[in-house]
Every structure is written in C-alpha cells, then in structure tokens.
Amino acid sequence: IEPEKKEAAEGENAEAAEGTEEPKKLKIRKRPELINETQPLWTKHPNECTKEEYLDFYRKVFQDYKEPLFWIHLNMDYPFNLKGILYFPKINMEYESIEGTIKLYNNQVFIADNIKEVIPEFLLLLKGVIDCPDLPLNVSRSALQNDGFVKKIAEYITKKVADKLAGMCKTDKEEYDKYWDDISPFIKFGCLKDDKFCEKMNDYILFKNLDGKYLTLKDCIEENKKEETKAAEEEKTEEKASEGSQNEEPEKTVIYYVTDEVQQSQYINMFREAGKDAVLLKHVIDSQFISHLEQQDQTIQFKRIDADLTEELREDGKADEATVKTLTEVFRKNLGKDKLEVKVEKLKNEGTAAMITLPEESRRMQDMMKMYNMYGMDPNMFGGQEVLVLNANHPLVRFIAENQGSEYVPVICEQLYDLAMMSHKQLSPEEMTKFVKR
C-alpha cells in the first residue's frame, strides 16, 4: 500500500472509531437549597407581603387545611420593637374547645407557645406569631407577671386588634358582617376579659336579627323605639307627669333574643305577627356577655323571647277570675302539679292554645347552676317555676273551662302542656314516650 493511501485509510478508520464512541456524561453540581426561611414573613413590611404568602405561611406553620378568615400584621419599632402576624381561624365549634397557638419569638429565636403574660388571654384563641427582641430569652413566669414592659406589650397587641376590627366595620361593613358569626366568640370573650378592649369594641359588636340583618347595639335600641306606638309614648308621658320625676328610675329598653330558632319557632311566629323583632344569641358565651352589657348600661335589658308576654301579643281585656280559677284547678289536678302557676290570657294568635314562659332572672340562674352541676347541685334549685299561659280564645281551652267533667279533659290537659313545653325546652325521654303514645 502506498504511504498516501495508507494514511488516508488510517484516517477513515479513526473517524469511524470516533463515531462509535459513547458520549461522555456531564456531571452537574446542584446548588444547595435552603430548607428554612432566612427572612420569615413576619419580619417583612405588610406592604411587601401578598395574600398567597400569608396563606402559605399559615398552612406550613399551623397545618390547618381551612383558610383563615383574615389576619393582622403587627409591625412596631417604637417605643419597643415588635413584629408578628395574628390569624383569625374559621371555627365551627364552641369557644371553650378552641385551641389556638400563638408562638412567641425573640429575634427569630423560638421561646414558647401561648405565654399569656405577653399575649392577652382572649387572643390565645387565635393562631399566629409574635416576635419581640426586647423580651429576655430565659425568664421565669413570675418575672413576666411583674414586668411593666410586658404589660405594655400586651396592651399594644390588644389595641392593634381592636383598631383592625373597628376599621373593618367602618370601611367594609359587608365583609365584617360575613366574618361576624365566626369572630364573635373572640370579641365577646375579649370584652369579658379586658375592659379597654370592650370600650373600643362597644360600637362594633353586632347582633343578627330574625331577618338575618346585622345590627349594632345602638341600632337595636333604635329599632325598639320605632316599634313603640305614639299612643304608648303619650301614656308613659302622662304617667310620669302624674307620678313626678323625682327618684324616677330610667325606663329600660328591652331587647328580645332567641337561642334556638327551631324550638322557639312558635314564639318567633307570634312576634313576627305582632311586628316585633328579636336578635339571635345562640353561642354559649352569650349568656355571660349580655349580663356584662346590662351592667355597663343600666338602660337596657335582654329578655329571651319566651320570658314574658308583651302587650303586642295580647288582646284588650282579661279573662274573668272564675275561668282562671277553674282552669288552674283542672290543670293542676290532671297534670299532678300542685304548684303549677297558670295564667289565662286573650292572645291575638288564636291558633296558639298554650305557652310556657320563664322569667329571665330565673332562666339565667338555672344556666348558672348548670355550670356547677358537676358538684351535685340541682340546676333547678334556685330557678323558679315555669308559667303555663293558656289562650282563652282557643277552642280547646274554652272546652276545658266549660266541660270540666268530660273524659277528654285529662288527655287534652296533658297534650296542651307537653306541646307548650316542646316549644320551651326538650321533653325528657319518659315525657316524649307518653306524648307519642297519646
């Protein structure tokens, strides 16, 4: 082979060999990724944070699949340094069983959860983070309790929460209305625990009426005044003029409320027919809260819708004494209740045969005693008696009054009493069994 041809052949073989070689694998060095946040969300300015960041932070830290209702971003540099985020979670349970988590940090160093000396007690129902570099990292609880600086921090947090809620109510009432059912336990609990918070929130506490409309306390009072007729106002004016104004106690505005829309539907229907309104107070904290409001303002009084019969539900004129005496004796005898209090009224609603009323004071006493029932005390011990109100305009009531010796009277008495009770409270298993049989 000639040298030139040999070189060409070797070149061709080399090229073929290069074509058959496998490509070399490139090694890519992956940069290390941070598994923690170097700048936590609460250290940023609120204007730098997006809604998605707030929600993502909430899910990661608190492992809550439900989105929070809203949040408050705390950012303060003077007179002390404090940053944080407080979330209002969505809840579907009683406030007693809510377990919030407020994490306390010192310059991004975790200290502890739920330190009530630093965070107001009612805000421990929320979820969030508070970072205060001015707090000592290692300090006893007793030292915190006696530290005036710590109290100022707690007062500041309370003020910021109140300002946020008040601002929402002023600028975006519709949105505030949507949140109210969920946030009302927090606010009412806060009003019971903190007088300053209560003072700031008084005008922004809402009450939902029978039509689902949200009213402030002032609105409720004004609505009640509108319901009064001119004749009634004139009559009150004449009475005051004749009795004299000296040592005259201020007249109270009564606000009626409902605790169970289904069970108290009979009373609600009668109220609607009479053109009266009531508010819904269905939470366990409401009983204490309305007592607190009454102590603050002596001119208002809350009564449950079945506490008493208002003038608007009655017709003019009273049943004669003989009829009242007869019906009282007949019902006491056939029900086996010697001390049963019976009232006979002429109700405008002729379809209602009987009702049960219980004075507001007695009901609240019963509710209070139930709280201490674990100590073996009878909740009805100081509660007083329910009053059976019979409608003199109803045919069954008239039948009993005119036919005392009839064989049907015992059954009718039992039936009317149980029907009235069912609109007042739940029957016992034994009473319900007898009712169904009857």
Side-chain angles (χ1 to χ4, degrees), residues 117-177:
E117 287 79 12
V118 180
I119 302 154
E121 185 179 359
F122 71 97
L123 292 180
L124 295 178
L125 305 174
L126 305 181
K127 296 180 180 181
V129 172
I130 298 292
D131 191 339
C132 185
D134 298 326
L135 280 176
L137 280 171
N138 186 13
V139 69
S140 66
R141 279 285 176 86
S142 58
L144 284 173
Q145 288 174 349
N146 298 319
D147 193 331
F149 175 73
V150 169
K151 291 179 182 178
K152 287 181 181 178
I153 293 176
E155 288 174 1
Y156 166 75
I157 295 172
T158 300
K159 180 181 180 299
K160 292 299 290 183
V161 171
D163 289 345
K164 171 70 174 181
L165 295 170
M168 286 175 60
C169 188
K170 289 176 183 176
T171 59
D172 196 352
K173 178 68 163 49
E174 290 185 7
E175 200 70 15
Y176 189 70
D177 291 351

Side-chain angles (χ1 to χ4, degrees), residues 320-339:
D320 60 272
E321 292 183 9
T323 303
V324 175
K325 184 178 179 182
T326 299
L327 289 172
T328 301
E329 291 175 354
V330 171
F331 270 85
R332 284 179 176 178
K333 176 184 176 183
N334 289 291
L335 296 175
K337 298 179 182 290
D338 296 336
K339 295 182 179 179

Side-chain angles (χ1 to χ4, degrees), residues 381-416:
M381 187 172 173
F382 304 106
Q385 280 188 315
E386 291 89 356
V387 178
L388 176 64
V389 180
L390 300 173
N391 184 5
N393 291 331
H394 195 277
L396 283 178
V397 176
R398 291 201 302 267
F399 176 85
I400 295 171
E402 297 166 3
N403 303 274
Q404 303 171 44
S406 171
E407 60 180 317
Y408 301 113
V409 167
V411 177
I412 295 173
C413 288
E414 291 175 351
Q415 194 74 354
L416 292 186

Side-chain angles (χ1 to χ4, degrees), residues 173 177 180-181 188 205-217 219-224 226-227 255-261 268 271-272 275-282 302 305:
K173 178 68 163 49
D177 291 351
W180 179 254
D181 289 343
K188 291 172 182 176
I205 294 165
L206 303 183
F207 298 87
K208 185 160 71 170
N209 71 358
L210 297 176
D211 296 322
K213 183 181 177 183
Y214 290 89
L215 308 170
T216 63
L217 186 58
D219 294 335
C220 292
I221 295 171
E222 288 177 7
E223 288 290 327
N224 277 20
K226 288 179 183 178
E227 291 171 3
I255 300 173
Y256 289 93
Y257 66 93
V258 173
T259 56
D260 190 322
E261 293 169 277
I268 292 173
F271 256 57
R272 286 185 182 277
K276 291 189 68 64
D277 198 5
V279 297
L280 303 178
L281 297 176
K282 301 190 286 186
F302 285 84
I305 201 168

